[in-house]
Amino acid sequence: MAEDIKTKLERYKTAPFDSRFPNQNQTRNCWQNYLDFHRCEKAMAAKGADATPCQWYYRVYKSLCPTSWVS
């Protein structure tokens, strides 16, 4: 499974389609991925595990959200 995540991160170009957010306005998608990233990091830190899988959420929200929101 770890190899699958690493290959996805290497081939990552932009956020994939998410059927929960089918409309053009991707604000909620941005916000949800931002929350998922921070929840993932918190959960991995609590377990003492590597937070590499959380980078997927980081890259998605960074590509969806406006630059002024990310900074």
Side-chain angles (χ1 to χ4, degrees):
M1 183 166 149
E3 291 300 320
D4 186 39
I5 292 170
K6 287 180 183 178
T7 57
K8 282 184 179 182
L9 286 173
E10 288 171 3
R11 292 183 295 159
Y12 181 83
K13 294 193 189 312
T14 187
F17 176 73
D18 191 343
S19 61
R20 297 176 294 171
F21 310 101
N23 300 323
Q24 287 181 342
N25 187 350
Q26 293 294 304
T27 306
R28 289 184 186 215
N29 193 355
C30 160
W31 177 246
Q32 187 61 49
N33 281 291
Y34 175 81
L35 289 178
D36 288 343
F37 170 69
H38 289 287
R39 286 179 188 150
C40 178
E41 278 196 327
K42 186 176 178 180
M44 292 297 192
K47 291 179 184 177
D50 182 28
T52 303
C54 302
Q55 290 303 311
W56 172 259
Y57 298 114
Y58 174 76
R59 288 183 176 193
V60 170
Y61 94 72
K62 191 154 179 158
S63 71
L64 286 173
C65 300
T67 308
S68 61
W69 292 4
V70 176
S71 61

